[in-house]
Amino acid sequence: MPYFHFKEIWTPFSLLGIRLFKETDSGALFIKAWNKPRKQITK
């Protein structure tokens, strides 16, 4: 399993429970909605 280090990107969607994360090494974007696992949206 790879090691990821994320930085959260604040958006107004964060108030609704939809959060965006940026992986610090590769710059890939991930989305996390409510209590579901993160999903990668860009490479």
Side-chain angles (χ1 to χ4, degrees), residues 1-41:
M1 180 98 135
Y3 175 75
F4 292 111
H5 188 252
F6 296 103
K7 183 174 184 179
E8 185 173 359
I9 301 170
W10 190 88
T11 62
F13 290 119
S14 297
L15 300 173
L16 300 173
I18 301 169
R19 301 183 320 210
L20 291 174
F21 294 92
K22 186 172 188 177
E23 206 272 315
T24 56
D25 294 335
S26 67
L29 287 176
F30 289 76
I31 189 167
K32 180 170 174 56
W34 304 287
N35 61 352
K36 297 181 180 174
R38 290 183 185 105
K39 291 185 181 179
Q40 188 171 1
I41 55 175

